[in-house]
Amino acid sequence: MAHRRLSAIRTACLVVSAVTATTVWGAPAALGHDDAHHAPSAPAGESGESGKSAKFRVTEQQIKKNIVPGEAAALGEQHAREHARLRAGVQALSDEYPQATRTERLRQLTASQAETNQQYPAEQFGRFNEYVNSPDYGDHVAMLPTGKVLLFSFEPIQANPQKETAPTDVIGKENAGRAFLWDPSMGTGPSAFKQVTPPSVVMPDGTGEARPAPFFCSGHAFLPNGMLGVFGGNLGGNGGSGAKLSLVFDPWTETWYLNKDMSVGRWYPGVVEGPDGRLLIMSGQSEIGWGTPTPIVERFPAKNFPVPWQKSDTPTNLPVDAFGAQAPFTRDYPHLFTLRDGKVYGLGRMDNEQFVFDLTTEQRAKLPDRPNIPCKDQRDGGGEGCSPERINGSAVALPNGYQGPDSVLVLGGNRDNANTYELVKGERWVTRQPRAFGRANDNTLIMPDGNLFTVNGSFHIRNYGNGMYNPNALPKYRHTEMRDAQGSWTLGPVQRLPRGYHSNAVLMPDGRVMVTGDEAQQIANDPDIKDDMHGSIEIFEPWYLHVGDRPELNQVPVDPVRYNSAFSVDTRTPDKIAGAVLIAPSTVTHSTNSNQRHLKLRINSVNDTRLTLQTPPSAADAPPGWYMLFLVDARGVPSVAKWVKLEPAQTS
């Protein structure tokens, strides 16, 4: 297939920059999202940044070689030449990091994964079973209630993994968003992916150039009707400037909708759903640029607008409004959780930025400082990820039986601190059992059996243990870890690629785990840098899929189920059923996953093949929306999940 490093033809007019007629093509200066504002120097012999734009001369012969048949007829000859010039420029970039290196890296990682994982029996540790090409980097991922997975990020601007790979400081058309849907029921080939381009916008960057909304490094959470609210993104420039974007993705029609702008730009914000179904949005760097985090808290939809409860409630052109309290986070992407007291807990990256927000009074209170251990490894000059700051570590609202969570476990974010810290009942911090080693940029999931599963991680933002912008990773960061009901951690099998910054993982309805993200590693290990499959997906089969037959869940209610009420499901394996659990779907980026939630359901009765289950007590226990319902046997082996919707008795 012809080279498509910036866009497929069907969206080329929206996402490919109009380039000047000069024959010199310039790549944006390399500035990392978080590295931009620290700008550490690379030690001698390592791949650092010069701060200058790399330029490559593009000849007429190269332009003609990169003309795609049919593009001139569809777009016009001049427009087609502009696209060809960009392709030639990207080819020049890719020559900096040769295909032979990418191919050999992937071969060695594949071989070492197979050899290492021989020591981890699948029935005890699980296994990685599939590795497939993806058309998107997957820097943002959402498990949708349709069973499809939404992946979104940005249009490629860089083919050399030793440079900044995202358009952090790019102003203009090259700073554009893109999105794809993966339908697992259609397999893993190119036909299983569908492009769902975000709305075209003209950003207030002075260029007047329309492009698909640049929503990378936004925050997101689910609305009660299963739609995904996405807020913020990248305006471009000044080390990363916040966009005021407010969008919704509708999984039922597979369409993006644009809403009214927020009052302030947000780059790296946090978003969480409250018991009333509204989304709370806080933090993020403002439109002024890095170092200007906004304390303003906003709410979507605004209080005098209805919450979208039904599939037909399409949020278009809806505004946000200001929440009464402010959120004085000095760093980005706080972990936000709604606990069973109905309040939102904001756990910041700085140890003294821990807050709780009362949604009724719209007041903020201070929580105790989180404990921490100072970094000992000073290879990056004691930058981010050292005390008192965590850098993109994960956090999980811990399962609490039949009730909603009242405690949060904070993990990772400090490469020298393997401890895990529990905020117990929202009141005090307790140091829990450590993982095998400290890691940043990890993802931790709650599994149907109640265990926790950690995947991904690195030393720092763009450091996998061997220096900034060096894609060679220390082997330990490829290891998974599992936490059992007693809180003990065990190392598990290794993933194929090391995945750190921008890595993601979600639990799927069939009980498997999808792992993706980290565009730098995907670029460094791309089996064909010239094709249009920019990313990769790894599928992990947990331990419970390797111990025998699974229980079955055959039918669930079509209509919403209400809180503190009974509902019936059908199963062909009633004798195997020992329990039932609801798990809220993940929507994850930068190690934040506020939607994730695990609740047991009481089994009221078993009548032949029909089970009567009891829903959670209230919306504070489980915010309204769509959940995966798993039946589990005595071994903790889950059925394939079916989707059920939790909703208050009356919605308006």
Side-chain angles (χ1 to χ4, degrees):
M1 187 173 183
H3 182 32
R4 299 283 194 282
R5 292 314 295 170
L6 293 177
S7 177
I9 292 179
R10 61 184 177 272
T11 56
C13 289
L14 296 177
V15 298
V16 179
S17 172
V19 184
T20 59
T22 177
T23 57
V24 176
W25 189 88
L31 287 173
H33 297 207
D34 277 305
D35 298 312
H37 50 275
H38 286 285
S41 299
E46 294 179 358
S47 299
E49 286 304 320
S50 66
K52 299 179 181 179
S53 295
K55 293 186 176 181
F56 302 87
R57 184 161 298 279
V58 177
T59 66
E60 181 65 21
Q61 182 179 8
Q62 289 173 310
I63 292 174
K64 289 181 178 179
K65 185 177 180 181
N66 279 278
I67 292 284
V68 172
E71 229 180 29
L75 305 175
E77 183 176 351
Q78 184 59 33
H79 205 158
R81 284 177 56 82
E82 291 165 355
H83 289 195
R85 181 178 287 108
L86 284 175
R87 294 189 192 99
V90 173
Q91 177 62 53
L93 284 174
S94 67
D95 289 343
E96 289 187 301
Y97 198 86
Q99 181 60 55
T101 301
R102 305 175 209 268
T103 302
E104 179 60 17
R105 281 179 54 88
L106 185 59
R107 187 196 70 78
Q108 290 192 17
L109 288 171
T110 302
S112 65
Q113 180 191 34
E115 180 179 2
T116 301
N117 288 349
Q118 289 179 8
Q119 63 185 294
Y120 296 103
E123 64 274 13
Q124 184 179 353
F125 298 98
R127 71 178 181 186
F128 285 92
N129 189 41
E130 293 184 74
Y131 182 92
V132 298
N133 293 326
S134 164
D136 193 71
Y137 296 138
D139 293 348
H140 300 257
V141 182
M143 183 68 242
L144 302 175
T146 58
K148 300 180 182 181
V149 182
L150 177 68
L151 304 96
F152 59 102
S153 59
F154 47 83
E155 286 291 338
I157 62 159
Q158 178 61 258
N160 184 349
Q162 295 172 319
K163 294 187 175 183
E164 171 53 36
T165 47
T168 300
D169 268 322
V170 175
I171 298 173
K173 271 190 171 182
E174 293 93 342
N175 177 18
R178 65 173 181 175
F180 291 83
L181 281 175
W182 174 43
D183 185 352
S185 69
M186 294 183 62
T188 55
S191 62
F193 295 90
K194 173 186 175 181
Q195 190 161 15
V196 284
T197 303
S200 180
V201 297
V202 176
M203 300 298 292
D205 57 11
T207 66
E209 296 176 332
R211 87 296 300 267
F215 49 20
F216 84 95
C217 293
S218 58
H220 29 91
F222 283 107
L223 290 159
N225 63 354
M227 298 182 187
L228 185 72
V230 178
F231 304 92
N234 182 40
L235 179 60
N238 202 16
S241 301
K244 297 181 179 180
L245 293 168
S246 174
L247 304 104
V248 168
F249 183 75
D250 181 348
W252 315 110
T253 63
E254 301 180 350
T255 305
W256 288 96
Y257 300 109
L258 196 61
N259 283 282
K260 291 184 178 179
D261 280 353
M262 295 181 291
S263 67
V264 63
R266 298 181 188 272
W267 193 57
Y268 289 41
V271 187
V272 66
E273 182 193 7
D276 61 355
R278 299 184 192 275
L279 306 183
L280 211 60
I281 311 155
M282 62 181 73
S283 191
Q285 307 298 322
S286 80
E287 61 269 34
I288 298 175
W290 185 261
T292 63
T294 178
I296 296 171
V297 180
E298 294 177 289
R299 181 172 38 206
F300 180 86
K303 221 172 185 182
N304 57 339
F305 286 79
V307 172
W309 293 103
Q310 309 308 325
K311 295 178 182 179
S312 57
D313 295 339
T314 303
T316 56
N317 208 31
L318 290 183
V320 299
D321 65 353
F323 185 75
Q326 293 194 335
F329 294 108
T330 60
R331 295 295 188 271
D332 39 42
Y333 276 131
H335 291 287
L336 305 179
F337 295 100
T338 303
L339 299 187
R340 73 176 307 262
D341 59 5
K343 299 177 181 179
V344 168
Y345 287 75
L347 309 181
R349 282 164 49 171
M350 302 300 289
D351 58 359
N352 63 346
E353 295 178 1
Q354 317 296 314
F355 307 108
V356 58
F357 301 84
D358 189 310
L359 299 182
T360 302
T361 65
E362 300 193 19
Q363 298 295 309
R364 180 190 79 242
K366 183 82 166 56
L367 294 170
D369 292 355
R370 185 194 66 245
N372 204 8
I373 293 176
C375 286
K376 301 174 183 177
D377 192 326
Q378 298 295 311
R379 276 182 287 171
D380 66 346
E384 287 181 301
C386 284
S387 181
E389 182 178 4
R390 298 172 63 244
I391 176 63
N392 295 335
S394 56
V396 172
L398 289 171
N400 190 32
Y402 302 104
Q403 299 175 324
D406 60 10
S407 301
V408 176
L409 191 69
V410 174
L411 315 93
N414 181 333
R415 68 289 191 107
D416 287 332
N417 186 356
N419 285 334
T420 62
Y421 299 104
E422 183 178 349
L423 180 65
V424 179
K425 299 188 183 303
E427 297 175 350
R428 59 191 177 91
W429 291 97
V430 176
T431 301
R432 298 302 188 193
Q433 295 188 42
R435 293 187 290 189
F437 52 88
R439 62 171 102 188
N441 305 299
D442 55 299
N443 293 265
T444 300
L445 297 173
I446 313 172
M447 308 304 280
D449 60 4
N451 293 329
L452 303 185
F453 176 69
T454 290
V455 65
N456 301 323
S458 60
F459 179 84
H460 190 266
I461 292 273
R462 296 296 193 203
N463 192 331
Y464 304 89
N466 287 295
M468 298 297 294
Y469 294 97
N470 183 339
N472 300 322
L474 298 180
K476 68 180 182 180
Y477 292 123
R478 295 166 62 199
H479 274 279
T480 60
E481 290 187 73
M482 190 270 284
R483 182 184 191 258
D484 62 21
Q486 288 71 46
S488 298
W489 291 91
T490 304
L491 275 181
V494 299
Q495 55 202 93
R496 185 162 305 179
L497 297 193
R499 297 179 191 262
Y501 195 49
H502 288 168
S503 64
N504 289 306
V506 299
L507 176 70
M508 300 167 64
D510 61 9
R512 299 181 300 166
V513 173
M514 170 192 173
V515 182
T516 189
D518 190 336
E519 74 278 358
Q521 286 294 333
Q522 291 172 112
I523 289 170
N525 296 280
D526 195 327
D528 185 357
I529 196 64
K530 298 179 183 179
D531 68 12
D532 57 359
M533 300 298 277
H534 308 288
S536 62
I537 293 171
E538 302 181 53
I539 302 297
F540 178 73
E541 296 176 344
W543 45 92
Y544 49 65
L545 297 183
H546 297 277
V547 294
D549 293 340
R550 307 173 66 173
E552 294 185 34
L553 174 58
N554 303 112
Q555 191 172 11
V556 299
V558 175
D559 295 328
V561 295
R562 311 302 181 179
Y563 292 100
N564 198 29
S565 63
F567 70 101
S568 296
V569 301
D570 290 337
T571 174
R572 286 193 289 264
T573 58
D575 295 340
K576 288 187 176 182
I577 308 305
V581 297
L582 289 179
I583 297 185
S586 290
T587 175
V588 57
T589 188
H590 292 76
S591 302
T592 61
N593 189 347
S594 65
N595 206 72
Q596 186 176 205
R597 209 175 193 91
H598 179 288
L599 295 102
K600 291 183 178 180
L601 299 184
R602 298 186 188 279
I603 300 178
N604 292 339
S605 64
V606 180
N607 184 7
D608 194 17
T609 61
R610 176 154 292 194
L611 275 63
T612 302
L613 307 177
Q614 187 77 12
T615 59
S618 71
D621 294 279
W626 291 83
Y627 288 77
M628 294 181 285
L629 171 61
F630 293 90
L631 299 182
V632 294
D633 67 15
R635 303 166 298 173
V637 177
S639 66
V640 173
K642 291 189 179 296
W643 293 92
V644 297
K645 186 185 181 189
L646 271 177
E647 192 173 282
Q650 294 185 359
T651 58
S652 58

